[in-house]
Amino acid sequence: MADPNRNYVDGEWITASTGETVAVRNPAEPDEVVAKYQQSGAADAVEAVEAAAAARSEWADTPAPERGRILRETAMTLERREESLTDRLIAEEGKARPEAAGEVRRAIDVFHYFGSKAADLGGTRKASSGRDVNLYTRVDPVGVATLITPWNYPIAIPAWKLAPALATGNAVVLKPASLAPGVALAVTEALDEAGLPDGVLNVVTGPGSVLGDELVEHDAVDAVSFTGSGRVGEAVYRQATAAGKRVQTELGGKNPTVVTASADPAEAAEIVAAGGFGTTGQSCTACSRAIVHEDVADAFVDELVKRAESIDVGPGDDHEMGPQVSAEELESTLEYVDVAVDEGATLVAGGGTPDGDAVGTGHFVEPTVFADVSSDMRIAQEEVFGPVIAVIEVGDFDEAIAVANDVEYGLSASVVTDDHGEANRFVDEIEAGVVKINEKTTGVELHVPFGGVKRSSSETWREQGDEGLEFYTIERTVYDNY
């Protein structure tokens, strides 16, 4: 019988070899234990990788349309459980209900999409220089893929890694983040019910510091896909490449929205607020810098402050902005507030924890706005991962572009303008993997490439869309002279 609070290895729900579990708590009510999950050890990681290695050949030989059918059946199962998955996501990660529901819907759509794409897999036929040679390519799975996913999108990111990996015929080991693994295990349960063969997917929960070496370096692992913090991701990249693995990482961001002199301040403030305060600022694509032309800066700040102060903060089930995921994340955000004040930025909204019965002892923080920020301040350079927006005033469009690019990251960037020439220049000159015009920095489509540049990504393979399939495949060329 399925027990999705256990590990899932070789088609069985099993307890970890350590005999230990870890409690996941509701970030809105930290005294509430939502569930207990396995605290796995290195031996569990080895068992999962070996199960994947044993299953890889049979799955690779399964016709792609049949693999796609299983993914589509998984999508339909998730759809039937959409409400309960949303409830679990809110309880473990803390998102506001519309955000949590949207994320669950994205996971469903991802499985539908890649389930359909599986039927298109194959290769291409090319003209040969020889009359008797049939020249063509074929696409084969990489083999065994390790997927390491973060807590901030605990069902969407596992889905957009799992679905293309499985569609292309790979066996998989998934390690979801320890803070919110429940919805990833629910996806696993749906795949099992859809008929995924034993061993094709294996899931272990527990700390990356314990499991990481085996998941990344084991001889049977062929590819590693990681999404998470820059510090950990860069270490994973070095470790995986040193071990000869194919590797893909998507890391942090310090995402700007440039507000030009032609922009409407109220419209721009709404766009920036949606990008910076949505998901409690806990998105790698969240807007954390508003780079604003001096002609509209005062009006923009006034509008942004109004929006920040209007946001209803409380438990995600019935409030506009939920908590941060943990006490550690809340403490980190509040430390950045202190740093910004110490460096001379002007706190114009928020900056603390809200009062009231609704927030109780939860990990809540006020939507925060700083003005008078310069580009060399830490608040303008380092990823905060909370609902904190730094407003940087500039004199012209050239300065705005220079400031926007004056960071180590390059994930998402947007511009708010009524000048089409400025929009075109922004697309040409901004250093970011995702570029938006008159839109918030957050939110991406599932059928187009996603990824960053500079320290936001390994800049190897992109995720999602057709490019999301390429990471998990190897193309071979056949010269058929039979």
Side-chain angles (χ1 to χ4, degrees):
M1 184 173 180
D3 182 356
N5 291 0
R6 299 186 182 185
N7 289 339
Y8 181 77
V9 177
D10 202 17
E12 300 290 338
W13 296 94
I14 62 175
T15 57
S17 62
T18 63
E20 299 177 1
T21 60
V22 61
V24 170
R25 297 178 179 274
N26 184 339
E29 299 180 34
D31 290 338
E32 176 192 336
V33 175
V34 178
K36 293 182 179 181
Y37 298 101
Q38 302 304 302
Q39 186 82 333
S40 304
D44 301 298
V46 171
E47 185 179 7
V49 171
E50 291 178 347
R56 59 178 286 185
S57 295
E58 181 182 349
W59 183 240
D61 288 340
T62 300
E66 170 62 12
R67 299 197 298 257
R69 184 200 62 78
I70 290 173
L71 296 186
R72 294 193 302 276
E73 179 63 37
T74 299
M76 290 185 285
T77 299
L78 295 175
E79 201 159 20
R80 291 192 292 271
R81 298 170 185 172
E82 197 166 351
E83 186 174 352
S84 63
L85 289 169
T86 300
D87 291 340
R88 174 55 69 92
L89 200 160
I90 294 169
E92 290 194 352
E93 197 272 346
K95 276 189 174 75
R97 179 165 289 277
E99 296 167 345
E103 183 182 342
V104 171
R105 186 70 240 178
R106 171 53 59 90
I108 294 167
D109 291 345
V110 164
F111 276 100
H112 274 303
Y113 174 78
F114 283 107
S116 297
K117 292 292 287 184
D120 292 335
L121 297 172
T124 57
R125 186 179 186 279
K126 299 289 186 178
S128 171
S129 58
R131 290 179 180 273
D132 299 323
V133 176
N134 184 23
L135 183 63
Y136 63 95
T137 67
R138 58 176 289 166
V139 175
D140 295 319
V142 171
V144 173
T146 289
L147 314 179
I148 303 173
T149 60
W151 52 261
N152 62 326
Y153 285 91
I155 190 169
I157 293 179
W160 82 45
K161 291 182 188 292
L162 271 172
L166 294 174
T168 49
N170 295 276
V172 171
V173 180
L174 170 66
K175 196 205 85 64
S178 297
L179 284 172
V183 282
L185 287 163
V187 170
T188 304
E189 186 177 19
L191 281 160
D192 178 75
E193 292 175 10
L196 191 72
D198 295 349
V200 173
L201 171 60
N202 306 274
V203 185
V204 289
T205 58
S209 58
V210 174
L211 305 178
D213 286 352
E214 294 296 345
L215 295 180
V216 173
E217 295 182 349
H218 194 290
D219 287 345
V221 171
D222 300 287
V224 178
S225 179
F226 172 93
T227 299
S229 73
R231 179 184 60 81
V232 176
E234 288 168 2
V236 167
Y237 181 82
R238 291 191 297 269
Q239 190 178 10
T241 52
K245 314 300 184 185
R246 176 179 290 204
V247 62
Q248 165 195 76
T249 64
E250 294 299 337
L251 311 174
K254 193 65 183 172
N255 310 294
T257 294
V258 169
V259 180
T260 71
S262 66
D264 175 77
E267 179 187 357
E270 188 62 35
I271 289 171
V272 168
F277 300 142
T279 64
T280 319
Q282 297 177 136
S283 296
C284 56
T285 54
C287 175
S288 61
R289 295 181 296 149
I291 302 167
V292 187
H293 193 281
E294 60 190 7
D295 289 353
V296 295
D298 289 345
F300 170 84
V301 169
D302 289 345
E303 294 289 343
L304 186 60
V305 168
K306 287 179 190 176
R307 182 68 187 99
E309 292 178 343
S310 74
I311 292 174
D312 179 30
V313 179
D317 194 52
D318 54 4
H319 291 77
E320 184 180 358
M321 191 176 92
Q324 299 222 246
V325 74
S326 67
E328 291 76 16
E329 290 295 327
L330 173 61
E331 181 182 1
S332 174
T333 297
L334 295 175
E335 285 177 356
Y336 271 109
V337 171
D338 292 339
V339 166
V341 171
D342 290 344
E343 290 188 337
T346 302
L347 180 64
V348 292
T353 54
D355 299 321
D357 294 338
V359 299
T361 60
H363 308 312
F364 296 98
V365 64
E366 296 171 323
T368 298
V369 180
F370 280 100
D372 303 317
V373 177
S374 61
S375 189
D376 60 346
M377 292 180 179
R378 288 180 62 192
I379 197 74
Q381 290 290 323
E382 299 175 15
E383 187 175 38
V384 177
F385 227 63
V388 179
I389 297 172
V391 180
I392 305 171
E393 193 171 321
V394 293
D396 57 33
F397 191 75
D398 287 335
E399 185 182 1
I401 291 289
V403 170
N405 289 336
D406 184 29
V407 291
E408 295 180 322
Y409 299 100
L411 184 51
S412 182
S414 71
V415 62
V416 184
T417 182
D418 278 343
D419 185 321
H420 197 235
E422 287 179 339
N424 287 336
R425 278 195 60 194
F426 188 80
V427 171
D428 288 342
E429 298 176 27
I430 196 66
E431 295 170 355
V434 176
V435 184
K436 297 189 169 189
I437 300 168
N438 294 329
E439 288 191 16
K440 62 181 181 176
T441 57
T442 52
V444 294
E445 300 265 9
L446 63 86
H447 60 292
V448 290
F450 173 76
V453 298
K454 301 196 285 190
R455 287 192 67 194
S456 289
S457 170
S458 57
E459 299 184 352
T460 45
W461 285 266
R462 293 306 196 206
E463 296 193 280
Q464 305 197 93
D466 290 337
E467 288 77 3
L469 297 165
E470 290 178 2
F471 174 71
Y472 299 102
T473 59
I474 294 176
E475 193 168 32
R476 291 193 290 161
T477 304
V478 179
Y479 294 78
D480 179 1
N481 194 26
Y482 183 74

